Amino acid sequence: MTFTKNRLYIGIAVVIVVLILLWLIFRESPVVVETAKAIRGQLLVTVDGEGKTRFRDKVTVNAPVSGKISRIRINEGDFIPKDYMITDIDPNPPTTRPPSETENRLNPYAQKVYAPISGRVLRIFEKSERILQAGTPIIEVGNPNTVEIVIDVLSTEAAQIHAGSAALILNESSAEPTKARVRIVEPQAFTKVSALGVEEQRVNIVTEFLTKEINFGDNYRVDVRIIVWQSNDVLKIPSSALFRNGEKWNVFVLESGKARRREVKIGHQNSSESEVLEGLTEGETVILHPPNQLADGASAAAQ
Amino acid sequence: MFRAKILENSRKIIDESPKRDKIAGKILTTKIKKEAIFIVRGVSKVYQMGEVEVHALRSVDLDLYEGELAVLLGASGSGKSTLLNIIGGLDVPTSGEVIFRDHNLTKANDAQLTEFRRDHVGFVFQFYNLIPSLTALENVQLITEIAAKPMKAEDALEMVGLKERLHHFPAQLSGGEQQRVAIARAVAKQPDVLLCDEPTGALDYKTGKIVLEVIERVNRELGTTTAVITHNAPIARMADRVIHIGSGRIVSIESNAKKASPADLVW
Amino acid sequence: MNALNKKLFRDFWHLRGQIIATALVVACGIASFVSMRSTYDSLLKTQQNYYSAYRFADVFAHLKRAPESLKPQIEKIPGVAAVNTRVVSEVTLNLPNMSEPAQGKIVSIPPVQAATLNDLHFLRGRYIRADRSEEVIISGAFAEANGFQPDDSLEAIINGRWRKLTIVGVALSPEYIYEIRAGDIFPDNRRFGILWMNRPSVAAAFQMEGAFNDVSLTLAPGASDSAVIENLDRLLENYGGTGSYGRADQQSHRFISNEFSQLEVQGTFLPAIFLGVTAFLLHLVLSRLVSTQREQIGLLKAFGYTNFDIGLHFLQLAFAAVSGGAVLGVLLGMYLGSAMTNLYGDYFHFPVLQYNAGWFVILISFVISFGAAALGAFSAVLKAVGLPPAEAMRPEPPARFTAGFLEKAGLQKYLSANHRIVLRNLSRQPIKAALSIIGISLAAALLFTGFYFFDAVNKIIEIQFEQVIRDDVNVVFYQPRPGRTRYDLANLPGVVKVEVFRSVPARLRFGHRSRRVGLIGAESQSDLRRIIDKNGKVFNLPPEGVVLSKSLADVLEIEKGDKLTVEVLEGSRPVREIEVTATIDELMGMNAYLDIHALNRLMNEDDVISGAYLSVDSLKRDKLYSRLKQMPSVAGVGLPAVTLEGFNKTFGQTIGTFTFILVSFASVIIFGVVYNGARISLSERGRELASLRVLGFTQREIAVILLGEQAVLTLLAIPFGYFFGFVICLLSNNLVDTEILRLPIVFTRRTFIITFIVTVLAAIVSGLMVVWRLRNLDLIEVLKTRE
């Protein structure tokens, strides 16, 4: 009697163990994935490029007459007001005696050279006293308050940009991008060889800061983002969640521990985010950079 | 070295035997008596069996004579097997001496004892101890192949009446037949000494008699010194001498004036 | 034949089941020994012959540009035997029927065929003609993967212009036995190949007339390569030398050497396991035999057989048991060895790959088999020899049973009688039980280790191709480009995201240790290419300082916080001390990372990049490829997905075969141990079991008693198997060249379960074979025997 009962218990125990083992083997461990939620927020589509700053009010002061120019006492970076006397030129320098500094000053016939605008001295072409011809550049002055950025973009991209388009200027030193606005889209395209060695048609875009910015000098290299489309309330997901299925966009949605493939309709995109028009609701979790082995219905877990 | 002596001695006996008829027993028996092939002095044996210490032999003295048929008689546990084993060089006494002809067996090492057994001794055991994976013939050949001057294995088996059963395995032989093979095996090497430990112990009456006849015949025809252990008293009548053993000691030794033939024995 | 030998044969036949089981284990051990050693020997010999016949160089160096007139100065360096200067460059290839851009390494060869270093072995076709600048010879694996034949053509961007090249020959070179692009770990033979071209036209194409940018040289006998390397570096410093290196660091040679050392170790370690188990099995079988034949042994001794005769008799049985297995093992090993060598031939391209199982290997196989036999037979033979004949013929005293731990714990009331018998028997012979457990656990450990290997590789792939590499395409430029190139890349069709990098060759020094690596300047907060440690944790580069792979830090013996001396081997060749801000335990490579801006500052250069990682809309992929093919500034295009696909296809093929062999071998061990153990138990306790049958126990119940013992041993062995397997995995991790990659410690549930299942199944099958024998238990006969 005891034998049969024992045998029964043992038999049941064995069957249970076998079933557990089978379940353990065939149950797949969930694939670990990176996820993000579909959220509503701002999406910016931008045309990006590298731009250069320049002072709009920038003047090169040339020698009005030929003659001997006095030594220039100011330095690069100095701030000079309008009508400041930069230097003077003696059209008839005495040739017999060596010129002396004080002489020119007191020379009533020496032509005075004045700063036409106030601004920072950007460049001094030649500091020391010498003989020069009329028209030779002496100094370059620029008004830092009038700093603007020039960026060239592909002519195809320029079509989306118009005067007044918002722009963001990035600089290594400042954490927050500085706001700017497109002033002009130059009408004339020009040919340029890109950094990749390809000839392209490009258009210059000039943007200006919204506020007086004095942190940017002349001829600085900055990264520019010109906003061509913007919305403050779109449903968006990281672009790395998207993949193609034929011509359609798909994503994997993580729901109840399973990855489900879904077709989505995508609107505007930038390199990080994409606008979802159809297929997802706010708060749903999508899988970023979905691994190749992920199949519809596979179990998955967020990192 | 031993061999030369054996031949010499057997010739002696053969030469002597016709004289037996001429002279009335005594002198010759004395002559035979003086040729002690084994001298056992003060032999004791103690051994461990599991956790028990057994005193199998207590200071035994014994002489065995050339050519005699001796029966060691005693109850089970009396020490007779132990004594036989020690005489045959299968076991070493805890104390005492055993001398075979001129050689002290107790001082011999394992290799020397092995050589002694190989060259001089034939054994017959109660439970036959045949190699089960060899045929009757092969079992005998096993021994003749390492013997110096054996008879042919077939002849030994014929001598025990098993000519028809040469190629049978022990499993195919009856108890008596197996024991006869064991005897054939023991005598095939033509040993100086034949030691039989309860040869009929596992056999029925009729078969036992046949086996004893073989033993007797070998002793008579080949002159082999034979010692037979038994607990069965009637068997002792076929011996030249009967050595009574009890509790590890020799109780008494008697001689049979007239040896009975195995056919006449009843037990 | 004498009677004792007849007994030997008949005993052998009687024990044939157990002997076959043991012989199979021997066969597996010898097969693994012969196959691996002979493959190793064949490959080594082939490699050595190839290197010497085709003059494989000893030292290699790359530089920016030096005039040919420098060559005599190189030749004058003490220890240098022969010098070969070349012009070498990577180019983008446009192959027919392939939208993806491919890459070619153009290597110059003399216009007239002459014996040079790193010489070519022709498979097909002919040498180039001096007057035809468009003729090329291509490398073998590349030709095979694409089906190229002489007279086919392909296109390459050479110096900004598309050139059509005609293939006139297909060849192999000792420099590219493993045909792999620098920086890759797995070859992509469809998309990478070597193109040997006439030197004048290569020089003309890359403006290197009268100059060279690549040097290889052979050493004079007895010369030290480190001295030559130092001298050569000094000489090339002014010409943009990026640091010379010896064979050990040469890409192709390195992979092969790594493979060889693995073969060598596995070929020692695996057979050792099998032969150890063999010794154990023989010990079991022979000990039992000696016990059962106790009285026969006594008898033989009684009749004058010497100890030597008897010892030899049993030893001969052991040898006979083993020789059959050894012969089978050698044959199997030769078959497997030749198959293995052929398999290697798919990866390592030798002109002739000859498999030869040397006599020496075969001889050693027999020697070690007999050695194992002697080891196993040792104690049994000793026991047989030591039995005094009188004692031997006495019956064995009954086995001593005392109160074991079971009784002391009072647990016996929970078990039925048969279970108690099983457990008491086990505790009575603890050594035999322990050895059985070890035997089975070794088999389980073998399975565990084998499956772990798959898990480890899968994990590496997963981390590398899902966590670290998430770009679809990556590009490298010939020359460093200005930072704004990132925007031009973003404008290419299909490009969604661009992340840039800067990389420069540098020598890193700490104390007296140094290492030549590629310094990588990466973007912090990257998404496409990340720095991940072996646990999958993401690492963000700090703005200052250098971050090293732990393997590199260990080689340099440097720690976090120490100052590393960085000697850049490009551009202005600045030398700076930089603090090591962290070390990361990565899975692959020996890397040094900096923030890209920090690297630019280090190089005293503006915003400059060496290449970029791109994520691409797959719909526009072909358009992108076609644009990339036309870009003269692009030196190479990497496609991680394609590389991975190639790897999976090849690796997937080997997994199946490997698993089969692994499971078979492990099963053989388990079968051997369980079958022999059960058969011996049956022999030992046959009488006891028959008595139980007579008393009324059913067939099944005594089967439980007999097999219950084996079942308990098997189940106990499994956790030990996991443990041993774990230890073996840890130890063998050091075998793999840790500079190339490091196997992660990852044990999946699947590995544990499969090990369990295979072990248990093998044990069950073996047990059933013994039970089948049980049916034939002749009750009466067994009861009759005295023992």
Side-chain angles (χ1 to χ4, degrees):
Chain A
M1 254 326 259
T2 8
F3 280 153
T4 359
K5 235 208 241 169
N6 272 350
R7 218 181 293 163
L8 186 66
Y9 292 155
I10 292 174
I12 293 178
V14 165
V15 168
I16 290 179
V17 167
V18 167
L19 285 178
I20 291 179
L21 279 182
L22 286 176
W23 177 72
L24 279 177
I25 302 173
F26 291 110
R27 176 176 81 119
E28 16 158 292
S29 5
V31 180
V32 175
V33 289
E34 209 180 318
T35 57
K37 281 202 166 31
I39 52 175
R40 296 205 84 91
Q42 187 192 65
L43 184 71
L44 300 175
V45 177
T46 59
V47 167
D48 301 342
E50 192 180 78
K52 276 228 175 90
T53 59
R54 67 179 183 199
F55 293 155
R56 187 158 47 148
D57 283 355
K58 183 162 82 171
V59 175
T60 306
V61 179
N62 302 321
V65 293
S66 311
K68 185 178 68 139
I69 187 170
S70 303
R71 183 180 165 76
I72 298 176
R73 287 172 184 268
I74 51 177
N75 296 311
E76 281 176 5
D78 287 349
F79 195 83
I80 53 176
K82 187 168 170 198
D83 295 331
Y84 174 82
M85 193 185 88
I86 300 162
T87 184
D88 56 28
I89 302 176
D90 183 358
N92 301 305
T95 49
T96 49
R97 277 181 289 128
S100 79
E101 265 186 47
T102 43
E103 276 198 35
N104 248 14
R105 273 215 183 246
L106 306 169
N107 189 343
Y109 299 110
Q111 177 98 0
K112 311 265 187 290
V113 183
Y114 298 100
I117 58 165
S118 39
R120 190 171 283 129
V121 177
L122 297 176
R123 222 174 132 185
I124 299 178
F125 289 92
E126 179 63 61
K127 238 191 163 222
S128 47
E129 196 177 82
R130 62 205 152 108
I131 310 280
L132 43 67
Q133 296 290 340
T136 312
I138 303 175
I139 69 167
E140 203 174 68
V141 187
N143 185 349
N145 291 337
T146 63
V147 65
E148 60 185 16
I149 302 108
V150 182
I151 167 178
D152 62 76
V153 303
L154 290 174
S155 47
T156 43
E157 291 182 315
Q160 304 167 66
I161 305 172
H162 51 84
S165 297
L168 294 167
I169 312 296
L170 285 78
N171 192 350
E172 219 183 295
S173 45
S174 51
E176 278 293 312
T178 319
K179 293 206 178 119
R181 181 176 49 222
V182 172
R183 189 161 65 85
I184 308 174
V185 176
E186 285 185 10
Q188 186 71 1
F190 58 93
T191 311
K192 185 175 169 188
V193 176
S194 77
L196 291 172
V198 180
E199 260 186 20
E200 291 169 330
Q201 288 294 98
R202 290 189 162 251
V203 168
N204 275 335
I205 312 278
V206 181
T207 60
E208 57 190 9
F209 288 105
L210 292 183
T211 54
K212 277 206 185 330
E213 289 289 332
I214 50 166
N215 289 326
F216 292 87
D218 186 53
N219 228 15
Y220 279 16
R221 227 207 323 256
V222 291
D223 290 308
V224 182
R225 310 254 180 277
I226 302 173
I227 302 172
V228 294
W229 185 89
Q230 172 175 358
S231 167
N232 284 333
D233 186 33
V234 293
L235 182 64
K236 59 180 186 176
I237 53 170
S239 301
S240 56
L242 294 170
F243 58 96
R244 289 277 186 192
N245 183 11
E247 292 205 351
K248 311 258 194 277
W249 282 116
N250 277 191
V251 292
F252 273 110
V253 180
L254 184 63
E255 48 187 22
S256 331
K258 297 243 184 281
R260 300 246 173 252
R261 194 151 65 112
R262 229 190 266 176
E263 190 179 305
V264 289
K265 209 145 163 226
I266 298 293
H268 294 95
Q269 293 181 287
N270 66 30
S271 64
S272 331
E273 300 171 309
S274 300
E275 178 189 10
V276 179
L277 297 174
E278 270 174 41
L280 284 173
T281 54
E282 187 179 350
E284 285 195 287
T285 308
V286 292
I287 296 177
L288 307 181
H289 296 284
N292 275 342
Q293 86 236 43
L294 201 60
D296 188 27
S299 67
Q303 258 169 359
Chain B
M1 186 234 311
F2 281 169
R3 217 162 305 292
K5 269 205 159 182
I6 297 168
L7 291 173
E8 213 186 290
N9 287 334
S10 7
R11 237 180 279 126
K12 267 202 193 134
I13 295 170
I14 294 164
D15 286 344
E16 307 292 347
S17 49
K19 288 188 186 164
R20 231 215 266 201
D21 294 337
K22 290 190 186 162
I23 307 166
K26 256 198 172 181
I27 302 167
L28 211 54
T29 4
T30 322
K31 247 205 182 114
I32 292 171
K33 265 202 168 118
K34 281 191 168 59
E35 299 280 2
I37 190 169
F38 277 104
I39 298 173
V40 178
R41 292 287 177 269
V43 160
S44 297
K45 179 71 184 177
V46 182
Y47 64 90
Q48 299 281 109
M49 186 150 176
E51 298 189 344
V52 177
E53 215 182 60
V54 179
H55 290 258
L57 292 176
R58 300 170 200 271
S59 198
V60 169
D61 296 325
L62 179 63
D63 290 348
L64 278 182
Y65 301 109
E66 290 253 17
E68 75 165 327
L69 176 66
V71 164
L72 279 69
L73 189 62
S76 33
S78 54
K80 44 195 202 303
S81 291
T82 313
L83 182 59
L84 200 76
N85 287 346
I86 288 175
I87 289 173
L90 276 182
D91 207 349
V92 199
T94 322
S95 58
E97 267 190 349
V98 179
I99 298 171
F100 170 77
R101 295 201 171 130
D102 289 335
H103 303 271
N104 192 330
L105 293 182
T106 21
K107 289 213 173 69
N109 64 24
D110 192 62
Q112 289 166 329
L113 282 177
T114 305
E115 199 190 341
F116 161 68
R117 292 195 303 273
R118 184 172 62 218
D119 296 337
H120 299 285
V121 186
F123 288 96
V124 178
F125 299 103
Q126 177 178 7
F127 289 103
Y128 340 130
N129 293 62
L130 298 180
I131 307 283
S133 54
L134 295 177
T135 62
L137 179 63
E138 288 160 354
N139 263 290
V140 178
Q141 282 172 334
L142 193 63
I143 307 307
T144 57
E145 276 161 7
I146 56 164
K149 211 174 158 259
M151 64 169 88
K152 278 185 73 180
E154 292 87 340
D155 293 342
L157 283 164
E158 193 176 338
M159 198 170 135
V160 300
L162 288 175
K163 201 167 74 165
E164 310 301 314
R165 313 286 255 172
L166 292 181
H167 303 294
H168 286 98
F169 286 93
Q172 299 161 314
L173 300 172
S174 73
E177 287 166 334
Q178 288 186 55
Q179 193 60 297
R180 281 189 274 162
V181 173
I183 295 173
R185 171 178 73 185
V187 303
K189 70 197 277 193
Q190 309 202 80
D192 295 329
V193 183
L194 181 64
L195 303 177
C196 309
D197 191 343
E198 301 267 15
T200 58
L203 303 173
D204 64 84
Y205 180 68
K206 194 160 146 229
T207 325
K209 273 207 176 180
I210 297 173
V211 163
L212 289 175
E213 273 170 12
V214 174
I215 292 177
E216 188 272 331
R217 184 168 151 216
V218 164
N219 168 261
R220 180 168 34 86
E221 288 183 4
L222 302 181
T224 313
T225 311
T226 310
V228 176
I229 289 181
T230 182
H231 62 273
N232 207 339
I235 292 175
R237 283 175 41 213
M238 68 180 258
D240 287 316
R241 288 195 300 158
V242 181
I243 301 159
H244 294 268
I245 301 185
S247 307
R249 285 179 230 278
I250 294 185
V251 174
S252 63
I253 302 180
E254 22 172 286
S255 306
N256 282 336
K258 188 162 182 282
K259 279 169 20 173
S261 87
D264 299 337
L265 300 175
V266 178
W267 66 86
Chain C
M1 192 200 313
N2 67 23
L4 198 59
N5 285 344
K6 283 191 196 162
K7 170 182 179 293
L8 182 68
F9 272 98
R10 297 206 191 123
D11 285 341
F12 188 92
W13 178 253
H14 182 67
L15 293 171
R16 64 192 181 280
Q18 295 169 60
I19 286 179
I20 288 177
T22 310
L24 283 177
V25 178
V26 174
C28 287
I30 298 300
S32 54
F33 176 73
V34 168
S35 64
M36 288 188 190
R37 295 307 298 213
S38 61
T39 300
Y40 172 80
D41 289 338
S42 305
L43 284 176
L44 192 64
K45 188 137 176 268
T46 304
Q47 180 204 41
Q48 285 167 348
N49 286 345
Y50 191 27
Y51 282 178
S52 76
Y54 288 84
R55 294 169 287 279
F56 184 47
D58 295 306
V59 174
F60 305 84
H62 313 295
L63 51 142
K64 209 152 152 67
R65 184 204 173 89
E68 194 62 21
S69 54
L70 192 65
K71 183 171 171 184
Q73 290 188 50
I74 301 177
E75 285 167 339
K76 285 208 195 79
I77 297 177
V80 169
V83 176
N84 190 15
T85 57
R86 298 184 294 194
V87 179
V88 166
S89 183
E90 309 243 327
V91 293
T92 305
L93 300 176
N94 183 23
L95 302 180
N97 304 326
M98 200 193 292
S99 64
E100 299 99 332
Q103 187 148 351
K105 183 157 180 182
I106 295 195
V107 176
S108 69
I109 46 177
V112 175
Q113 192 170 13
T116 55
L117 301 184
N118 308 321
D119 215 345
L120 298 177
H121 169 88
F122 278 86
L123 294 174
R124 283 190 289 289
R126 59 169 173 83
Y127 201 77
I128 46 126
R129 282 222 292 270
D131 55 340
R132 302 295 204 99
S133 61
E134 78 281 4
E135 291 189 344
V136 285
I137 300 164
I138 60 174
S139 52
F142 178 58
E144 197 182 314
N146 286 294
F148 286 138
Q149 294 289 338
D151 283 338
D152 286 343
S153 59
L154 48 85
E155 294 179 316
I157 298 192
I158 297 184
N159 211 24
R161 283 169 33 237
W162 272 116
R163 294 259 309 260
K164 183 160 152 193
L165 302 173
T166 313
I167 299 169
V168 296
V170 177
L172 299 175
S173 157
E175 235 183 325
Y176 300 102
I177 296 176
Y178 198 50
E179 247 178 76
I180 187 174
R181 206 171 76 157
D184 283 355
I185 38 132
F186 193 75
D188 187 352
N189 293 126
R190 262 190 87 222
R191 290 185 52 244
F192 173 73
I194 325 308
L195 308 173
W196 286 282
M197 272 175 78
N198 161 0
R199 175 137 178 205
S201 41
V202 177
F206 295 103
Q207 280 107 41
M208 296 281 286
E209 282 106 331
F212 62 92
N213 64 3
D214 180 283
V215 177
S216 42
L217 55 89
T218 46
L219 297 173
S224 103
D225 57 355
S226 48
V228 169
I229 285 174
E230 218 182 294
N231 281 325
L232 186 59
D233 279 345
R234 216 174 309 132
L235 202 55
L236 297 178
E237 215 178 326
N238 295 328
Y239 301 96
T242 55
S244 28
Y245 52 92
R247 278 190 190 177
D249 290 314
Q250 201 265 350
Q251 183 103 11
S252 157
H253 180 87
R254 200 165 160 209
F255 276 99
I256 300 178
S257 303
N258 185 31
E259 202 57 44
F260 281 8
S261 47
Q262 277 190 42
L263 259 185
E264 210 182 347
V265 173
Q266 282 170 349
T268 312
F269 167 78
L270 212 57
I273 291 185
F274 282 101
L275 290 175
V277 173
T278 301
F280 165 60
L281 291 179
L282 279 175
H283 166 79
L284 269 186
V285 172
L286 284 175
S287 295
R288 180 58 199 154
L289 189 65
V290 165
S291 290
T292 47
Q293 295 194 348
R294 215 178 122 93
E295 283 153 9
Q296 295 176 42
I297 293 172
L299 182 91
L300 289 169
K301 287 197 185 184
F303 275 99
Y305 276 91
T306 59
N307 283 335
F308 179 77
D309 295 328
I310 290 168
L312 188 64
H313 178 73
F314 286 104
L315 200 60
Q316 281 175 333
L317 189 63
F319 282 173
V322 153
S323 4
V327 168
L328 180 63
V330 165
L331 292 174
L332 187 63
M334 285 168 66
Y335 170 74
L336 285 177
S338 102
M340 254 180 157
T341 308
N342 276 339
L343 190 67
Y344 276 116
D346 289 343
Y347 292 91
F348 299 145
H349 306 284
F350 292 101
V352 168
L353 189 51
Q354 225 175 20
Y355 172 72
N356 216 329
W359 284 114
F360 189 65
V361 167
I362 296 178
L363 185 67
I364 296 283
S365 304
F366 281 99
V367 169
I368 55 179
S369 311
F370 289 147
L375 185 67
F378 183 69
S379 73
V381 164
L382 218 58
K383 186 164 151 210
V385 152
L387 282 174
E391 212 184 293
M393 289 185 290
R394 261 200 294 275
E396 235 176 325
R400 251 179 285 187
F401 279 99
T402 49
F405 91 101
L406 210 61
E407 276 74 24
K408 292 188 183 137
L411 290 174
Q412 74 269 26
K413 57 181 181 286
Y414 294 114
L415 299 169
S416 61
N418 4 355
H419 300 141
R420 266 180 262 164
I421 293 175
V422 168
L423 285 173
R424 284 202 194 119
N425 262 310
L426 279 175
S427 48
R428 185 172 63 86
Q429 289 175 312
I431 296 180
K432 177 176 164 227
L435 287 176
S436 291
I437 290 178
I438 291 178
I440 299 176
S441 66
L442 281 176
L446 207 63
L447 285 168
F448 191 78
T449 312
F451 287 115
Y452 154 75
F453 175 69
F454 295 136
D455 292 339
V457 171
N458 276 337
K459 187 79 183 172
I460 292 181
I461 300 289
E462 186 197 304
I463 289 191
Q464 197 66 11
F465 287 91
E466 284 170 25
Q467 306 292 331
V468 173
I469 299 176
R470 306 201 297 182
D471 43 292
D472 299 310
V473 175
N474 51 75
V475 293
V476 174
F477 302 114
Y478 280 114
Q479 308 290 342
R481 312 298 307 155
R484 63 190 154 85
T485 314
R486 61 163 65 78
Y487 299 117
D488 296 321
L489 286 169
N491 286 334
L492 291 174
V495 175
V496 173
K497 190 165 185 179
V498 177
E499 276 176 20
V500 296
F501 65 89
R502 173 87 177 102
S503 105
V504 293
R507 177 159 273 122
L508 306 181
R509 253 186 234 287
F510 186 66
H512 66 283
R513 294 179 195 278
S514 75
R515 197 66 197 211
R516 204 178 140 271
V517 299
L519 266 188
I520 303 171
E523 288 187 34
S524 58
Q525 309 296 328
S526 52
D527 186 46
L528 296 181
R529 229 9 124 88
R530 303 187 297 172
I531 301 172
I532 310 264
D533 73 6
K534 66 176 189 211
N535 296 321
K537 211 170 81 125
V538 182
F539 185 83
N540 288 316
L541 277 178
E544 295 293 336
V546 68
V547 173
L548 304 177
S549 304
K550 185 162 171 305
S551 54
L552 180 57
D554 289 342
V555 163
L556 294 172
E557 289 186 14
I558 191 172
E559 283 170 25
K560 176 173 159 174
D562 290 336
K563 283 243 164 52
L564 177 69
T565 308
V566 176
E567 300 172 8
V568 179
L569 300 168
E570 186 185 290
S572 54
R573 304 174 87 94
V575 177
R576 293 285 153 76
E577 284 210 337
I578 308 182
E579 184 184 332
V580 175
T581 42
T583 60
I584 311 178
D585 207 349
E586 285 181 302
L587 284 177
M588 294 184 83
M590 291 173 92
N591 303 315
Y593 302 100
L594 293 148
D595 182 287
I596 188 173
H597 301 295
L599 183 54
N600 286 146
R601 281 197 295 276
L602 169 67
M603 296 293 291
N604 266 331
E605 60 193 10
D606 236 339
D607 182 16
V608 153
I609 65 174
S610 305
Y613 309 114
L614 314 174
S615 74
V616 174
D617 178 351
S618 55
L619 207 58
K620 310 226 179 81
R621 214 165 39 193
D622 287 344
K623 271 214 192 116
L624 175 65
Y625 290 159
S626 128
R627 291 289 294 277
L628 286 174
K629 279 184 197 175
Q630 295 164 24
M631 268 174 211
S633 53
V634 170
V637 176
L639 303 174
V642 174
T643 310
L644 180 61
E645 202 184 304
F647 172 79
N648 279 335
K649 205 160 66 169
T650 327
F651 192 63
Q653 284 164 355
T654 20
I655 289 183
T657 327
F658 185 76
T659 311
F660 175 72
I661 295 182
L662 180 70
V663 168
S664 310
F665 274 29
S667 302
V668 163
I669 292 184
I670 295 171
F671 172 74
V673 173
V674 171
Y675 182 80
N676 276 349
R679 280 286 285 118
I680 285 171
S681 283
L682 179 57
S683 150
E684 280 175 351
R685 295 155 46 214
R687 189 152 185 274
E688 187 185 308
L689 292 173
S691 307
L692 289 174
R693 287 276 283 123
V694 166
L695 288 172
F697 279 60
T698 64
Q699 190 89 336
R700 191 174 307 161
E701 278 158 348
I702 59 166
V704 165
I705 292 175
L706 184 65
L707 295 186
E709 194 180 311
Q710 299 303 317
V712 170
L713 291 173
T714 305
L715 289 175
L716 280 179
I718 290 177
F720 282 104
Y722 291 151
F723 174 71
F724 287 144
F726 178 71
V727 169
I728 293 172
C729 292
L730 282 182
L731 290 176
S732 62
N733 265 354
N734 298 331
L735 286 183
V736 180
D737 182 354
T738 47
E739 297 191 5
I740 300 178
L741 60 80
R742 291 159 284 289
L743 291 175
I745 303 292
V746 48
F747 300 117
T748 59
R749 205 171 31 211
R750 188 187 62 166
T751 297
F752 281 99
I753 290 177
I754 291 191
T755 302
F756 181 84
I757 287 182
V758 172
T759 307
V760 167
L761 268 181
I764 288 178
V765 167
S766 323
L768 286 177
M769 290 184 74
V770 177
V771 166
W772 184 71
R773 265 259 188 172
L774 205 60
R775 291 181 198 288
N776 303 335
L777 193 66
D778 185 341
L779 300 179
I780 320 280
E781 187 56 49
V782 170
L783 285 169
K784 263 211 295 193
T785 53
R786 190 169 61 118
E787 64 131 356

